[in-house]
Amino acid sequence: MRILTLLLLLNSSALVAQIFPPASYPQGYFRDPLEIPIRLAGNFGELRPNHYHMGFDIKTNTRENLPVYAAADGYISRIKIEPYGFGRAIYITHPNGFTTVYAHLNAFNPALEKWVKDQQYQRHSWKVFLELTADIFPVKKGDFLANSGNTGGSQAPHLHFEIRRTDGDVNVNPFLFGFPIADNVPPQLQRLAIYDRTRSVYEQTPRLYPVKAYSGSTYLTTPSVITVSSPLISFAIGAYDTQTGSTNHNGIYEATLKVDDQPVVAFRMDNISYNDTRDLNAHIDYKTKSQGGAFLQHLSELPGYVNGIYKRKSGNGAIDVSDGAVHVISIQVKDASGNLSTIESKVRFVKANQEQPASAGKLFYPQMMDGFEGPDCEFYLGERCLYDSVHIRYNKSANSNDQVVSAIHTIGAAYIPIRDSVLVRIQPLRTLTDAEKSRTVMQWFAGTKTEVQKVQWQGNWASARFRDLGSFQLVLDIEPPVITPIGFVNGSDLSKATRLTFKVTDNLEEIKNVRTELDGKWLRFTNDKGVIFIYQFDEMCMAGQHELKIRAEDEAGNVTEKTYNFTR
């Protein structure tokens, strides 16, 4: 059995080498950015909402403020501070052609912290993306950069760490650089999905088959021979990976589809650009996931997903089984350490007499510009909007909200992923005054999710762009944001306080801008995770009488201004 397993592994390695060209990366050049053993909460290529995970999430023992160190010589080339996303992040450019990124940080080292604070005051903005020249902050391997944290889009303390090719800013899987991460655990396989590729993947529910470990890391389907009623099929898998000593469900590295012992197509998570990270929605069964199902990773390349993570050997992964013969299916799944698991199955086509019902709506195609024009609603999809052909149905319905000044226009469904934005144009139910037009936004909603965009007017048509399909309406928003101080009121004595805190809320939950001034000068409030605004008392607010002004503006342009006097 051990000899057979070894032969299968060697066979697999040779097979993958035929599909993916060999690549080498510097081993041992980068050190661990922490001083504790690397244990991963997330890995490169892991599946996340609307994006691939683009680096390592390194555990920090559920603590914040562990020291973070430069992984190699170089210079700090960028600093990012934002309420979501990376939170507080440092980018280091290295002389070997790579850039490392350290995110969700707390305080930077003292010199860098002071420099960044000065830049924020010069720009009157806490949120910044700063680009630095090589002479400002050179670093040596092992230099202290910052304390680890939980800022931005982080949901628990950890360090997000990336390696990118400096030229092109393309992320590379950090596993390929030889970090000391023990991993002798093969990927875990859960299910096989089969699709009818004579139809859109968004107009069907895949047939799911459980898989069970049979011998070592070989999994078999139940039943072992699957009967399909479509002459053209494709596959997807449910799978995850772990590392030695970890129970975290991380992402797999690569998978290869073989049919009748011949390689067809494969994907590998090794190089992904942030420009392409949204294409995860073409790699997964987006409809199944968006409706509460599991992540299913396609072993086929959708027609609108170009220059992605897939490599073809003989076709795009849509398999012709119309001959009625029994075809042997093998899907080999690997992690970045070379551990291998395999799904083995067989499929056979049997023609069904039942015809599929026709889909309602207009048929749209990937890589084609097209649109729909109605009397009071129009929408247009660009060449790179769709991943697969799909019928998009339009429906109009009445609304019962006094703030809504248009009908509700439903375009397609939220389970159809959009890569580039769709242009939506709507006419209101009545002629709006110029003042009303200036306070009108377009609102998208699907289920409990909403988003608003400021509209552009062309005559009586309001237009905006969104990256999701669903329902759209025009909302006349004349309600300004609400500013709520926390722990102080006008006239408060804050001589014993350590900070000022307030929050801003809005009826449509879209705050465009908040500006704070102390005694007529801009004052830096942080806004991590977009929840509350916090100013820690420092040299900018000495003892004495002070006046704090807060100005908040929403997406529609409504403004609230509040003034608070206090004693420090």
Side-chain angles (χ1 to χ4, degrees):
M1 179 61 70
R2 292 178 61 186
I3 295 175
L4 176 60
T5 302
L6 179 60
L7 288 174
L8 286 172
L9 183 58
L10 291 174
N11 244 1
S12 167
S13 299
L15 165 64
V16 174
Q18 293 173 354
I19 296 182
F20 292 103
S24 62
Y25 298 92
Q27 303 296 296
Y29 185 90
F30 296 112
R31 59 154 284 174
D32 180 348
L34 299 172
E35 283 190 331
I36 58 175
I38 296 179
R39 295 187 302 119
L40 297 181
N43 64 353
F44 186 88
E46 192 167 298
L47 310 176
R48 303 287 176 87
N50 289 319
H51 69 283
Y52 294 106
H53 190 246
M54 303 289 272
F56 281 167
D57 278 350
I58 305 176
K59 294 182 179 183
T60 56
N61 297 333
T62 68
R63 296 167 48 200
E64 297 185 31
N65 296 319
L66 296 185
V68 178
Y69 301 98
D73 293 359
Y75 68 95
I76 297 176
S77 53
R78 284 178 277 180
I79 296 289
K80 176 179 280 190
I81 297 178
E82 57 187 347
Y84 305 104
F86 281 172
R88 293 169 59 91
I90 293 174
Y91 299 63
I92 297 178
T93 295
H94 305 281
N96 69 338
F98 291 94
T99 294
T100 52
V101 183
Y102 315 73
H104 307 311
L105 303 171
N106 282 343
F108 303 141
N109 71 53
L112 182 60
E113 188 71 33
K114 180 183 183 306
W115 185 86
V116 170
K117 182 178 179 180
D118 291 343
Q119 297 298 312
Q120 290 171 317
Y121 271 94
Q122 288 179 25
R123 291 163 171 76
H124 289 190
S125 179
W126 166 75
K127 180 181 176 180
V128 291
F129 190 26
L130 308 171
E131 297 196 23
L132 291 71
T133 54
D135 59 314
I136 299 179
F137 282 103
V139 296
K140 292 292 186 181
K141 186 174 185 176
D143 281 355
F144 170 65
L145 299 176
N147 290 324
S148 68
N150 186 32
T151 57
S154 173
Q155 297 179 358
H158 72 280
L159 173 67
H160 177 83
F161 176 73
E162 296 181 358
I163 300 178
R164 304 182 183 183
R165 289 202 304 268
T166 304
D167 184 14
D169 214 29
V170 175
N171 287 54
V172 183
N173 194 330
F175 254 117
L176 305 176
F177 292 82
F179 286 97
I181 304 174
D183 184 8
N184 57 14
V185 182
Q188 303 296 302
L189 309 183
Q190 300 168 297
R191 57 188 63 89
L192 177 70
I194 300 182
Y195 298 80
D196 174 3
R197 292 305 291 273
T198 66
R199 305 165 57 204
S200 170
V201 294
Y202 309 122
E203 295 175 2
Q204 61 182 287
T205 299
R207 294 173 62 186
L208 299 178
Y209 298 91
V211 298
K212 184 176 181 180
Y214 173 71
S215 175
S217 297
T218 298
Y219 292 71
L220 301 180
T221 60
T222 302
S224 58
V225 180
I226 297 171
T227 300
V228 297
S229 58
S230 170
L232 190 67
I233 62 173
S234 66
F235 303 93
I237 56 171
Y240 66 90
D241 190 37
T242 61
Q243 285 79 47
T244 300
S246 172
T247 59
N248 284 81
H249 289 196
N250 301 142
I252 61 175
Y253 176 60
E254 69 180 34
T256 301
L257 170 65
K258 293 171 61 180
V259 178
D260 298 328
D261 205 35
Q262 297 301 310
V264 177
V265 70
F267 68 79
R268 175 182 282 181
M269 306 290 187
D270 53 1
N271 292 265
I272 303 173
S273 167
Y274 269 100
N275 294 330
D276 303 322
T277 188
R278 190 178 176 89
D279 288 334
L280 165 126
N281 293 335
H283 174 58
I284 67 169
D285 180 341
Y286 186 86
K287 179 182 178 182
T288 293
K289 183 58 182 175
S290 66
Q291 293 183 330
F295 274 120
L296 298 171
Q297 302 184 63
H298 284 300
L299 267 299
S300 64
E301 194 172 39
L302 297 183
Y305 184 18
V306 295
N307 300 320
I309 62 173
Y310 294 91
K311 297 293 182 184
R312 298 186 183 190
K313 184 64 177 178
S314 59
N316 66 356
I319 310 302
D320 185 349
V321 293
S322 60
D323 58 7
V326 174
H327 295 275
V328 178
I329 306 301
S330 175
I331 300 173
Q332 299 173 320
V333 182
K334 292 178 65 177
D335 62 25
S337 298
N339 299 300
L340 172 71
S341 295
T342 303
I343 294 177
E344 301 285 356
S345 187
K346 298 180 176 70
V347 297
R348 180 168 63 93
F349 169 64
V350 176
K351 186 176 181 179
N353 294 324
Q354 184 178 1
E355 293 187 4
Q356 295 290 342
S359 298
K362 179 179 177 179
L363 181 59
F364 286 78
Y365 299 90
Q367 303 187 54
M368 289 183 63
M369 184 179 296
D370 203 351
F372 166 89
E373 296 180 352
D376 55 357
C377 178
E378 302 174 349
F379 63 89
Y380 301 91
L381 280 74
E383 296 176 354
R384 299 198 65 191
C385 276
L386 292 175
Y387 294 114
D388 196 9
S389 301
V390 65
H391 291 84
I392 296 180
R393 180 188 298 184
Y394 165 76
N395 181 61
K396 176 182 174 180
S397 57
N399 72 78
S400 58
N401 188 327
D402 292 339
Q403 281 187 292
V404 179
V405 293
S406 73
I408 299 171
H409 302 276
T410 301
I411 301 170
Y415 60 70
I416 303 171
I418 301 295
R419 188 186 195 277
D420 286 349
S421 59
V422 55
L423 174 64
V424 179
R425 287 164 47 87
I426 297 176
Q427 287 203 61
L429 294 171
R430 60 178 176 84
T431 301
L432 303 181
T433 66
D434 288 345
E436 289 175 323
K437 285 183 176 180
S438 70
R439 292 293 183 265
T440 299
V441 295
M442 189 179 297
Q443 184 180 48
W444 164 87
F445 60 94
T448 59
K449 297 179 180 179
T450 66
E451 180 186 352
V452 299
Q453 296 283 350
K454 186 73 171 178
V455 299
Q456 293 185 336
W457 288 96
Q458 293 177 307
N460 203 38
W461 286 92
S463 63
R465 290 185 174 274
F466 294 85
R467 296 188 77 176
D468 292 280
L469 299 180
S471 296
F472 302 85
Q473 60 187 11
L474 296 178
V475 179
L476 176 58
D477 181 15
I478 58 174
E479 188 174 335
V482 176
I483 298 170
T484 305
I486 300 174
F488 71 96
V489 296
N490 187 40
S492 287
D493 181 354
L494 302 178
S495 57
K496 295 183 179 180
T498 59
R499 66 183 192 175
L500 284 169
T501 305
F502 67 91
K503 67 178 180 179
V504 179
T505 56
D506 184 65
N507 61 314
L508 295 182
E509 301 179 357
E510 292 286 347
I511 304 299
K512 183 178 180 180
N513 184 51
V514 174
R515 180 177 175 84
T516 51
E517 292 183 357
L518 183 71
D519 303 329
K521 296 181 179 180
W522 183 81
L523 186 66
R524 185 187 69 165
F525 276 76
T526 65
N527 185 220
D528 187 54
K529 303 185 189 304
V531 179
I532 58 174
F533 293 80
I534 300 173
Y535 164 68
Q536 300 284 350
F537 282 120
D538 59 9
E539 73 280 1
M540 298 297 179
C541 183
M542 306 303 287
Q545 300 291 319
H546 297 283
E547 179 186 76
L548 175 67
K549 288 185 178 180
I550 306 173
R551 183 183 188 275
E553 180 184 4
D554 66 16
E555 188 67 25
N558 300 298
V559 174
T560 297
E561 293 185 347
K562 290 290 186 76
T563 299
Y564 301 92
N565 294 289
F566 66 91
T567 302
R568 173 72 179 134

